[in-house]
Amino acid sequence: MPKRSAPFALAVVLLLTSSAPAAESGRAFTLDDLYRTKAVAEPAISPDGRTVVYAVGTNDWAAKKRTVALWRVDADGANARPLTSGDARDEHPFFSPDGKTLAFVSTRTGDPQLFFLPLGGGEAEQKTKFPGGIDSPRFSKDGRFVVFAADVTPACGADAACNKKAADAREANKIKAHLADGLLYRHWTSWKDGARTHVLLLDLAEPDAAKAVRDLTPGDFDSPPFSLGGGGEFDLSPDGKELVFASNRDADPAFSTNSDVWTVPVSGDAGALASPKNLTAANKGFDGAPRYSPDGKHLAFTRQTTPRYESDRFRIVLRDRATGAEKDLTASFDDNVRDFDFSKDGSRIFFTAEVKGRTPLYEIVLSTGAIRAVSSVGAIDAWALAPDASFAVAARRRIGSPAELWRLSVAPGADGNGTRLTTHNAAFEKEVDVRPAEEISVPGADGKSVQVWIVKPHGFDPAKKYPLILNVHGGPQQQWADAYRGDWQVYPGAGYVVAFPNPHGSTGFGQAYTSAISGDWDGKVMKDVEKVADALEKLPYVDKDRMGAMGWSWGGYAMMWLEGHTTRFKALAAMMGVYDLRAMYSSTEEVWFPKWDLKGAPWENAALYRRQSPSEYVTAFKTPCLVITGEKDYRVPYTQSLEFFTDLQARGVPSRLIVFEKAGHWPSAFEMALYYAAHLDWFSRWLGGPPSPWKPEDLVAGR
C-alpha cells in the first residue's frame, strides 16, 4: 500500500456510489423530516405464501407520540391496506399455523399484550393480561400453545395476581430504594429489583384463566437473558413437547457471557422445570437463539467460542438431538451471523450477517455445507422466508432510501436488489433530497484498508468547498452500514459533507480486524481515524479548515481521546462517551466488557487503564466540545460525561453539556430532536454552517 506521502489519487480508491438516484431531486432534508418518514418493519408471511403482514411506524411530532399500525400486502406487492389503526403500537405480527388468525402485540390496553385478529372478519381479541406486558410470542406447531417472555417475581412465577401485588406494593412504598447482594443489579436503563425474565406458556384450550398460563423456566435466573432488540432466545419443538431456551446461570453473570442452551419438558412437573438439561455446558462462550428444525431432529443455535468476549464471531451450530453431535455450519464464514431460519423442508438455513458495511442474506445448503449470498444490497433489518423458500421478504433500507419491504428471490443468479413491495415513503422520497452515499477505501494502520462512507450535501457543487463532519461509530465492535438514518441526512441537508469510517474494531471485515481493537483503544483504530482525516481533508470539495468530528458511546470515547491528542478538528461532539476507564470499570453493569477489552481489571493492568484514559490528558484539551449524555445510561454511566465536561470547563475550553433526564444509552425518537438540533447549533458556531432551525434552548425549555 502507498505511504501517506503518496499522491492522493493513489491513497484513496473510489469504489462505488451506493444508494439510489445519482441526480438529486427535491428540497433539502430538514429536522422536521426525521418525523415524516415511515418505519416499515417486521414482515410476516402467511402459511399459504400469498400475504405479507408488517408494521408501519408513524411519528406525531406535535404530540410527541409514536404509533404503529399493521398492514397487509399481497406477496406480489398488490392491494396494500391497513389492518389496524388507532393511537397504540400494534407490533410483532405472526400467523397461526392454519393461517386463520393474525397474532400481534399491542399497547392498546396499556402494557404490551397478546391479541388475536380473525382474518375472516371480526375484532381483535386480547389474550393476555400479564402485569408489565409480554414479549416475543410464538405459536406451537399445532396452534394450541403460545409461548412468550415476561418479567416476573420468581416467587410468583406465572401467577398474574401475585406479580401485580408485588409490583403495586413496590410502587406504593414511600421508601424508594434499591437493594442488591450481587452485580448486574441494573441493566441498560432499568434496575432489576428482584425481577427475572421467564418463558411462560399460554394454553389456548384451557378455559380456566388461572390455569392457562404456566412458568416453564422457574427460578432466580433470566431465562431467556436480556438481548438487545429482544426475542429469538427460545422455541417449542414441532411436537410441542419440549421448550428450548437460552440462559446464563453462571455464578458471576456480570463477568460472564456464558449463556447456554437448555431444554425442559413442556408437561414437566415443578421438579423437572426447575432442573433443565444443559446442552452446551462444554462451551464456556455464548450459546443462544435456539431453533428446532421443522422435522424436530435437529437444533440450530448461535455460538461464540471465546469466554467473556461479547464481540467474538457468532456462528451457527447444528446439533443432532438424538446423538448430541454438533457441526459448525459457518466455520468458513469469517463474519458475524445475525438472524437465521430453516426452510420449511429443513434442507437449508438462511441467515443475515454483518459484512463490509451491509447486512446480506445468505443460504446454507445443509447437505453440502455450501454458503451462498442471496442478496448483498443495503441493510436488512428484518426478514421472513416464504413457506416454499422460493423468496424472502425483507424490511430493507439504504443510506439514500428509507425502509420499505422488498421481495428477494432466493434462486441462484437472481437479481439481489429484488422487487419493491411497499411505497410508504415514496411521496416523501419525491419531495425531499434523501442523499445517497459514496464508498471509498483509505489505507489505514498496518496497511489495512478502511472503508469510509461519504455523503455529500444537498445542492452539491464540486467547485465549492464544504465543512465536513467525521462520525466515529460506537461499539466499538460494530459497523457503519448502508442504512438510512438521521446522521446521514440531517447534516448534508444543512450543507455539510459527512464521513463514516469503519476502522479497526469494526465488524464486517473478518474477526481479526474486529478483535484488533481489544487492549488497543489508543492504537490502530486511532491511526485509522487520523489517516481517514488526512484523506478527507485532501478531497477537493472539503474545507480542511472547517472539519469537525463526533461520536457516540465508544465513538464518544474517541472524541474525548482526540480532545487530548490533536487540534486538527475545529469542533468535537462526544455523546455517551467513556472518559475515565478506571471509574468506568467499577460503574458499568456488563463488567465482562472492560475486563476483556481492557485486558483485565484496573488493579491488574493499571498502566493500560491510565494510558488509554482520555482523563489522563486534560492539560492538552483545547478544542470546543459538545457533551451529551443520559441519566439512565447504566452501560456508560452519565457521570463519565459530567467528569469530561467539568475538566473542559476547568481548562477554559468552550463546551456545552446536555443531559437527558429520562434517556439511557439511546435517547427516544423525540429526544433525538434535541440531539440533532444541539449538533447543528454547535457545528454552526464552530464550522460556519447554517444555524439550527430549532434552538436547543427552546427545546429544553419546552418553548
Side-chain angles (χ1 to χ4, degrees), residues 406-544:
W406 292 77
R407 176 171 171 149
L408 306 173
S409 170
V410 304
D415 178 12
N417 190 58
T419 301
R420 184 168 172 171
L421 297 182
T422 61
T423 56
H424 291 276
N425 291 300
F428 175 81
E429 291 172 282
K430 289 182 180 179
E431 176 191 343
V432 178
D433 177 24
V434 183
R435 300 298 293 151
E438 295 174 357
E439 179 185 351
I440 68 171
S441 177
V442 174
D446 294 345
K448 300 290 186 182
S449 293
V450 178
Q451 180 192 53
V452 186
W453 298 101
I454 295 178
V455 183
K456 296 174 181 175
H458 174 73
F460 177 73
D461 181 347
K464 294 183 178 179
K465 287 188 178 290
Y466 297 89
L468 176 139
I469 303 169
L470 175 65
N471 195 329
V472 179
H473 67 63
Q477 295 91 350
Q478 294 180 358
Q479 65 168 0
W480 283 126
D482 183 6
Y484 174 87
R485 51 179 288 150
D487 285 329
W488 306 82
Q489 300 300 331
V490 168
Y491 309 121
Y496 297 91
V497 176
V498 290
F500 301 81
N502 279 319
H504 277 84
S506 302
T507 54
F509 302 88
Q511 185 59 42
Y513 191 80
T514 301
S515 298
I517 196 170
S518 296
D520 191 44
W521 286 17
D522 61 340
K524 288 183 284 294
V525 62
M526 291 304 176
K527 291 180 181 176
D528 288 345
V529 171
E530 177 187 356
K531 289 175 178 290
V532 167
D534 288 343
L536 292 172
E537 73 173 24
K538 294 174 184 174
L539 291 170
Y541 52 83
V542 169
D543 185 342
K544 67 182 181 64

Side-chain angles (χ1 to χ4, degrees), residues 478-673:
Q478 294 180 358
Q479 65 168 0
W480 283 126
D482 183 6
Y484 174 87
R485 51 179 288 150
D487 285 329
W488 306 82
Q489 300 300 331
V490 168
Y491 309 121
Y496 297 91
V497 176
V498 290
F500 301 81
N502 279 319
H504 277 84
S506 302
T507 54
F509 302 88
Q511 185 59 42
Y513 191 80
T514 301
S515 298
I517 196 170
S518 296
D520 191 44
W521 286 17
D522 61 340
K524 288 183 284 294
V525 62
M526 291 304 176
K527 291 180 181 176
D528 288 345
V529 171
E530 177 187 356
K531 289 175 178 290
V532 167
D534 288 343
L536 292 172
E537 73 173 24
K538 294 174 184 174
L539 291 170
Y541 52 83
V542 169
D543 185 342
K544 67 182 181 64
D545 295 321
R546 291 194 294 159
M547 291 175 59
M550 62 184 289
W552 194 318
S553 190
W554 191 91
Y557 163 88
M559 298 304 106
M560 296 171 178
W561 178 265
L562 292 173
E563 180 67 66
H565 289 82
T566 183
T567 57
R568 74 181 306 161
F569 297 105
K570 297 301 181 286
L572 298 171
M575 289 69 66
M576 287 69 176
V578 180
Y579 179 60
D580 180 343
L581 298 186
R582 174 61 189 90
M584 170 69 178
Y585 179 92
S586 296
S587 57
T588 190
E589 9 79 294
E590 296 177 352
V591 190
W592 66 74
F593 174 73
K595 180 85 169 178
W596 177 273
D597 246 52
L598 299 174
K599 301 308 175 187
W603 51 89
E604 297 167 339
N605 199 352
L608 182 144
Y609 274 77
R610 286 195 298 270
R611 189 185 80 241
Q612 296 186 7
S613 281
S615 58
E616 293 291 313
Y617 305 95
V618 176
T619 57
F621 287 4
K622 294 180 181 178
T623 305
C625 190
L626 172 68
V627 185
I628 298 179
T629 188
E631 284 192 34
K632 289 191 174 182
D633 187 352
Y634 304 148
R635 188 71 183 89
V636 180
Y638 81 110
T639 50
Q640 293 279 304
S641 291
L642 300 189
E643 292 176 39
F644 180 48
F645 180 68
T646 296
D647 291 350
L648 287 166
Q649 289 282 306
R651 296 295 298 171
V653 178
S655 47
R656 166 171 279 184
L657 173 69
I658 294 176
V659 180
F660 289 99
E661 292 182 20
K662 297 182 187 255
H665 204 54
W666 294 289
S668 71
F670 296 103
E671 288 170 326
M672 287 297 289

Side-chain angles (χ1 to χ4, degrees), residues 119-238:
L119 294 176
E123 296 298 317
E125 179 184 0
Q126 186 171 347
K127 289 295 181 179
T128 63
K129 296 181 180 179
F130 202 81
I134 65 110
D135 188 25
S136 307
R138 62 189 63 202
F139 278 107
S140 61
K141 191 173 182 179
D142 63 4
R144 175 179 172 176
F145 302 124
V146 175
V147 287
F148 58 86
D151 288 344
V152 305
T153 298
C156 295
D159 187 332
C162 177
N163 278 287
K164 185 176 188 305
K165 182 179 179 181
D168 289 348
R170 183 170 183 83
E171 181 64 27
N173 189 5
K174 299 300 182 182
I175 300 174
K176 300 298 182 184
H178 307 286
L179 186 153
D181 293 311
L183 295 180
L184 216 57
Y185 47 82
R186 63 182 189 176
H187 208 179
W188 285 94
T189 59
S190 61
W191 289 78
K192 299 291 289 184
D193 292 327
R196 293 292 191 178
T197 304
H198 285 183
V199 179
L200 308 187
L201 179 140
L202 170 64
D203 185 346
L204 297 171
E206 173 56 64
D208 186 344
K211 298 179 181 178
V213 181
R214 298 174 59 223
D215 186 350
L216 297 184
T217 60
D220 193 17
F221 305 99
D222 286 316
S223 307
F226 173 84
S227 174
L228 280 177
E233 298 298 330
F234 56 91
D235 196 18
L236 278 175
S237 60

